[in-house]
Structures are given as structure tokens and as C-alpha cells.
Amino acid sequence: MLIASWNVNSVKARLDHLLRWLGEAAPDVALLQETKCLEAAFPREAVEDLGYNIAVAGQKTYNGVAILSKRPLEDVITALPGDPGDDQARYVEAVTGGVRVASVYVPNGQSVGSDKYAYKLAFLERLNAHAQTLLDLEEPFVLGGDYNVIPDPGDVWDPASWEGGILYTLAERAGYRRLLNLGLTDAFRALSGEIGRYTWWDYRGGGWTKDHGCRIDHLLLSPQAADMLAESGIDKTPRGWEKASDHTPVWCRLAAEDAARAA
DNA sequence: ATGGTTGACGATCAA
């Protein structure tokens, strides 16, 4: 089972890229972030024509997440538990092919100390609480998405210049690290010790051309999913396409025989 | 140069 995550930065602006990538990479499950449209405006038909079922948490202009799966989607929830007053579309979860998956768009946080920064840290705490609830089920699950957190110095092109800045403060990294401490596995890091592998390059300042990037998109696996982890990687290809998203897909493969057993 | 670029939307806001 091939599971991928991609912040598309507008599903409508990126529809041709999305369809091309779905055709070429052919993930069984695709977790999308920053779709930037209401559920009714999601290009459902074009995606369904490629054989995908769809679950959406939509919002106009900002945020928006989706799950695409070649298998049926069950037990869909469209908000991260823990704050009924939170109306931002940043979380959708479903069970598909015997694996629970979630598409997560952690807030960017804008600037350290801002209201948005506080919201980001609170969101990470809620994600920790929900992850613990899911861990108690002792089932395979994958929480994939744009975490907007650089975990370690090897995950950013110039750690010294990023020190203490947004995406890389000790508080953000601690909020992310607590997820690992609960028992989740970073699929990429579990199989690769490579530093300098990135998933996001800022549009500003020619980041892509200079490879000034950060690794902020992650697939976090429950122990039962990590036991099936066979392969993982970062697919830089779509970032090089004309009018690209500023993010590129990350993916992992869970061993088919074990995934079938779990189903 | 408190900078740079992109998307949604239609003046700025968010990233």
C-alpha cells in the first residue's frame, strides 16, 4: 500500500499537476493539504475518474485537506478533536484498506509569539492528545501532512539562520517530538539517515534553484503501521514542474502482505 | 532593500 502526502497549494490551481502525479506515482492513498476550496468546489469528478474515493474537509480561500483512496473510505471525521470552536479545515481522517489515515495541515504559525503561533502550539497539543487516543486502539495508522515543523538541524538548508525562527523554534520541535515520543515513527527518517533532504522550498528568494529547503512534510506511523514499513521517500519531481506547488510529495510503502492481513 | 513569490480574491492576507 503506497501512501503519499502532498501540500498542493490550491487544488484548483494545481489540478493538472495533481492528475499527472496521481497517474505517474499511482499512490493507493493520497493525503492533500492546502486545497483552498469548499468541499463543493473540489474537482471531485476528475479525481474520481482516476479511480479514487474522496473525503474532504473544505474551507474557502485558506487551508482545506483531503484524502484520496483507491479503496473505500470509512469512519470519516473532518475535524481534529479537542476544540469545537476551531473552524479551520486542517484535519480529515478515515479508515481505508484496513489502515486509518489522516491528512493534517498544522498551522504555519506566521511569527514567533503571534496569536497564530499560540494556535499552532495548541494544535500540536491537540494532535498529541488525539494520537494517544488512536494509539490506544493498537491499530495501524498513518498521520501524514504538512507539519510546518523542521525536526532537526539536518532537515534545513542553513540551520544557523533558521535558529529560533518560525518552523524551527524549540517549542514547535518539542510539540512535534512529543508525537514521536508517544511511539510514532517518522517514515522517512526511519529508513534514511540522509541529511539535506527537503519537502518544501520557499517561492521567495529562489529557494528551489538554490536547494534552500526544509523537511516539514512528514508521515507519522503507529507501531502497527511501522511494523509494515517497507520503503519511503521524497518525490522531488513535481516541485520542478512549471507553476509548481512550493511543496513536493512524500511517500511510504507498507508491505502488501502485512497490509492485507491488517485489512 | 525589515527584502523575496505565489494563490485567492479583487484590498490585502496567508504562507
Side-chain angles (χ1 to χ4, degrees):
Chain A
M1 182 181 238
L2 183 62
I3 301 174
S5 175
W6 188 16
N7 179 325
V8 293
N9 187 18
S10 170
V11 72
K12 287 188 276 187
R14 219 69 60 202
L15 183 58
D16 56 338
H17 286 201
L18 175 63
L19 298 177
R20 177 178 173 186
W21 172 71
L22 288 173
E24 292 178 2
D28 297 291
V29 178
L31 309 170
L32 307 181
Q33 300 86 38
E34 282 207 90
T35 53
K36 294 189 175 180
C37 64
L38 291 165
E39 179 170 9
F42 191 93
R44 181 172 284 274
E45 207 168 298
V47 172
E48 286 174 341
D49 285 347
L50 294 179
Y52 289 94
N53 302 288
I54 305 169
V56 169
Q59 182 180 336
K60 189 174 178 171
T61 309
Y62 303 118
N63 310 318
V65 287
I67 300 171
L68 319 181
S69 177
K70 293 193 170 178
R71 303 200 200 179
L73 292 161
E74 298 166 339
D75 300 336
V76 176
I77 68 168
T78 56
L80 179 64
D83 183 0
D86 184 0
D87 57 0
Q88 299 192 27
R90 296 182 176 276
Y91 189 88
V92 60
E93 175 188 308
V95 176
T96 188
V99 178
R100 188 179 302 269
V101 296
S103 179
V104 187
Y105 180 41
V106 174
N108 170 283
Q110 197 163 63
S111 59
V112 179
S114 66
D115 289 348
K116 292 187 175 69
Y117 181 70
Y119 171 63
K120 177 180 194 171
L121 297 180
F123 187 96
L124 285 168
E125 283 313 293
R126 286 163 58 200
L127 191 56
N128 268 274
H130 186 57
Q132 184 60 64
T133 300
L134 297 181
L135 282 163
D136 291 342
L137 301 174
E138 301 187 342
E139 293 172 352
F141 68 81
V142 177
L143 306 181
D146 177 0
Y147 281 78
N148 270 315
V149 176
I150 300 161
D152 291 299
D155 299 315
V156 55
W157 66 280
D158 181 11
S161 74
W162 283 73
E163 197 69 50
I166 199 68
L167 310 188
Y168 196 53
T169 64
L170 290 178
E172 291 163 276
R173 291 159 67 190
Y176 175 81
R177 190 183 307 110
R178 276 196 284 279
L179 293 164
L180 305 181
N181 291 341
L182 291 180
L184 301 186
T185 294
D186 169 355
F188 179 80
R189 190 49 79 212
L191 299 183
S192 173
E194 286 179 281
I195 63 169
R197 294 292 309 276
Y198 310 130
T199 65
W200 172 74
W201 297 259
D202 203 325
Y203 289 127
R204 297 166 290 190
W208 169 249
T209 306
K210 300 173 186 168
D211 197 27
H212 290 178
C214 304
R215 194 173 72 91
I216 58 175
D217 299 85
H218 310 295
L219 295 163
L220 298 191
L221 278 50
S222 73
Q224 294 77 14
D227 286 344
M228 296 190 254
L229 179 62
E231 212 177 348
S232 72
I234 298 168
D235 179 7
K236 283 177 71 174
T237 306
R239 186 61 179 82
W241 292 341
E242 185 152 1
K243 293 211 53 135
S245 168
D246 45 353
H247 295 253
T248 213
V250 298
W251 58 272
C252 71
R253 192 168 59 81
L254 305 185
E257 62 274 18
D258 291 333
R261 191 180 312 139

